PDB file of all heavy atoms in Angstrom:
ATOM      1  N   PRO U  49      -4.135  12.647   3.746  1.00 97.00           N
ATOM      2  CA  PRO U  49      -2.910  11.926   3.625  1.00 97.00           C
ATOM      3  C   PRO U  49      -2.672  10.999   4.806  1.00 97.00           C
ATOM      4  O   PRO U  49      -3.282  11.137   5.875  1.00 97.00           O
ATOM      5  CB  PRO U  49      -1.852  13.041   3.610  1.00 97.00           C
ATOM      6  CG  PRO U  49      -2.493  14.101   4.452  1.00 97.00           C
ATOM      7  CD  PRO U  49      -3.941  14.054   4.099  1.00 97.00           C
ATOM      8  N   ASP U  50      -1.771  10.042   4.616  1.00 97.00           N
ATOM      9  CA  ASP U  50      -1.401   9.139   5.708  1.00 97.00           C
ATOM     10  C   ASP U  50      -0.439   9.861   6.699  1.00 97.00           C
ATOM     11  O   ASP U  50      -0.553   9.670   7.877  1.00 97.00           O
ATOM     12  CB  ASP U  50      -0.716   7.877   5.188  1.00 97.00           C
ATOM     13  CG  ASP U  50      -1.611   7.099   4.237  1.00 97.00           C
ATOM     14  OD1 ASP U  50      -2.703   6.726   4.675  1.00 97.00           O
ATOM     15  OD2 ASP U  50      -1.224   6.888   3.101  1.00 97.00           O
ATOM     16  N   VAL U  51       0.424  10.692   6.147  1.00 97.00           N
ATOM     17  CA  VAL U  51       1.433  11.408   6.963  1.00 97.00           C
ATOM     18  C   VAL U  51       1.544  12.825   6.479  1.00 97.00           C
ATOM     19  O   VAL U  51       1.638  13.073   5.275  1.00 97.00           O
ATOM     20  CB  VAL U  51       2.809  10.710   6.901  1.00 97.00           C
ATOM     21  CG1 VAL U  51       3.845  11.499   7.692  1.00 97.00           C
ATOM     22  CG2 VAL U  51       2.705   9.291   7.402  1.00 97.00           C
ATOM     23  N   VAL U  52       1.595  13.761   7.420  1.00 97.00           N
ATOM     24  CA  VAL U  52       1.920  15.141   7.132  1.00 97.00           C
ATOM     25  C   VAL U  52       3.328  15.397   7.645  1.00 97.00           C
ATOM     26  O   VAL U  52       3.591  15.244   8.828  1.00 97.00           O
ATOM     27  CB  VAL U  52       0.918  16.162   7.779  1.00 97.00           C
ATOM     28  CG1 VAL U  52       1.358  17.588   7.418  1.00 97.00           C
ATOM     29  CG2 VAL U  52      -0.477  15.888   7.355  1.00 97.00           C
ATOM     30  N   LEU U  53       4.233  15.731   6.778  1.00 96.00           N
ATOM     31  CA  LEU U  53       5.605  16.050   7.148  1.00 96.00           C
ATOM     32  C   LEU U  53       5.596  17.608   7.420  1.00 96.00           C
ATOM     33  O   LEU U  53       5.563  18.378   6.487  1.00 96.00           O
ATOM     34  CB  LEU U  53       6.559  15.734   5.982  1.00 96.00           C
ATOM     35  CG  LEU U  53       8.048  15.553   6.333  1.00 96.00           C
ATOM     36  CD1 LEU U  53       8.243  14.513   7.388  1.00 96.00           C
ATOM     37  CD2 LEU U  53       8.827  15.189   5.083  1.00 96.00           C
ATOM     38  N   MET U  54       5.609  17.951   8.692  1.00 93.00           N
ATOM     39  CA  MET U  54       5.254  19.314   9.130  1.00 93.00           C
ATOM     40  C   MET U  54       6.457  20.088   9.671  1.00 93.00           C
ATOM     41  O   MET U  54       7.059  19.687  10.640  1.00 93.00           O
ATOM     42  CB  MET U  54       4.144  19.219  10.217  1.00 93.00           C
ATOM     43  CG  MET U  54       3.684  20.577  10.725  1.00 93.00           C
ATOM     44  SD  MET U  54       2.483  21.346   9.660  1.00 93.00           S
ATOM     45  CE  MET U  54       1.046  20.278  10.015  1.00 93.00           C
ATOM     46  N   ASP U  55       6.761  21.211   9.055  1.00 90.00           N
ATOM     47  CA  ASP U  55       7.748  22.132   9.596  1.00 90.00           C
ATOM     48  C   ASP U  55       7.125  22.858  10.791  1.00 90.00           C
ATOM     49  O   ASP U  55       5.974  23.349  10.664  1.00 90.00           O
ATOM     50  CB  ASP U  55       8.180  23.122   8.547  1.00 90.00           C
ATOM     51  CG  ASP U  55       9.275  24.088   9.001  1.00 90.00           C
ATOM     52  OD1 ASP U  55       9.853  23.792  10.084  1.00 90.00           O
ATOM     53  OD2 ASP U  55       9.541  25.082   8.312  1.00 90.00           O
ATOM     54  N   ILE U  56       7.777  22.881  11.908  1.00 84.00           N
ATOM     55  CA  ILE U  56       7.193  23.478  13.107  1.00 84.00           C
ATOM     56  C   ILE U  56       7.163  24.980  13.013  1.00 84.00           C
ATOM     57  O   ILE U  56       6.267  25.633  13.639  1.00 84.00           O
ATOM     58  CB  ILE U  56       7.956  23.017  14.377  1.00 84.00           C
ATOM     59  CG1 ILE U  56       7.118  23.292  15.641  1.00 84.00           C
ATOM     60  CG2 ILE U  56       9.293  23.717  14.484  1.00 84.00           C
ATOM     61  CD1 ILE U  56       5.911  22.436  15.778  1.00 84.00           C
ATOM     62  N   ARG U  57       8.103  25.607  12.304  1.00 82.00           N
ATOM     63  CA  ARG U  57       8.172  27.069  12.241  1.00 82.00           C
ATOM     64  C   ARG U  57       7.973  27.510  10.803  1.00 82.00           C
ATOM     65  O   ARG U  57       8.818  27.325   9.964  1.00 82.00           O
ATOM     66  CB  ARG U  57       9.513  27.522  12.781  1.00 82.00           C
ATOM     67  CG  ARG U  57       9.663  27.346  14.275  1.00 82.00           C
ATOM     68  CD  ARG U  57      11.033  27.748  14.767  1.00 82.00           C
ATOM     69  NE  ARG U  57      11.085  27.734  16.210  1.00 82.00           N
ATOM     70  CZ  ARG U  57      12.183  27.878  16.932  1.00 82.00           C
ATOM     71  NH1 ARG U  57      13.318  28.073  16.279  1.00 82.00           N
ATOM     72  NH2 ARG U  57      12.157  27.833  18.251  1.00 82.00           N
ATOM     73  N   MET U  58       6.822  28.177  10.601  1.00 84.00           N
ATOM     74  CA  MET U  58       6.496  28.756   9.313  1.00 84.00           C
ATOM     75  C   MET U  58       5.936  30.126   9.558  1.00 84.00           C
ATOM     76  O   MET U  58       5.333  30.386  10.602  1.00 84.00           O
ATOM     77  CB  MET U  58       5.487  27.883   8.532  1.00 84.00           C
ATOM     78  CG  MET U  58       6.005  26.521   8.142  1.00 84.00           C
ATOM     79  SD  MET U  58       4.783  25.537   7.239  1.00 84.00           S
ATOM     80  CE  MET U  58       3.778  24.981   8.635  1.00 84.00           C
ATOM     81  N   PRO U  59       6.121  31.050   8.595  1.00 79.00           N
ATOM     82  CA  PRO U  59       5.583  32.392   8.755  1.00 79.00           C
ATOM     83  C   PRO U  59       4.022  32.312   8.772  1.00 79.00           C
ATOM     84  O   PRO U  59       3.427  31.422   8.158  1.00 79.00           O
ATOM     85  CB  PRO U  59       6.049  33.180   7.557  1.00 79.00           C
ATOM     86  CG  PRO U  59       6.394  32.106   6.531  1.00 79.00           C
ATOM     87  CD  PRO U  59       6.853  30.907   7.288  1.00 79.00           C
ATOM     88  N   GLY U  60       3.400  33.279   9.462  1.00 79.00           N
ATOM     89  CA  GLY U  60       1.930  33.253   9.560  1.00 79.00           C
ATOM     90  C   GLY U  60       1.486  32.171  10.487  1.00 79.00           C
ATOM     91  O   GLY U  60       1.951  32.052  11.636  1.00 79.00           O
TER      92      GLY U  60
END
Side-chain angles (χ1 to χ4, degrees):
D50 299 303
V51 177
V52 180
L53 200 57
M54 181 81 73
D55 184 12
I56 197 69
R57 290 176 172 172
M58 293 180 283

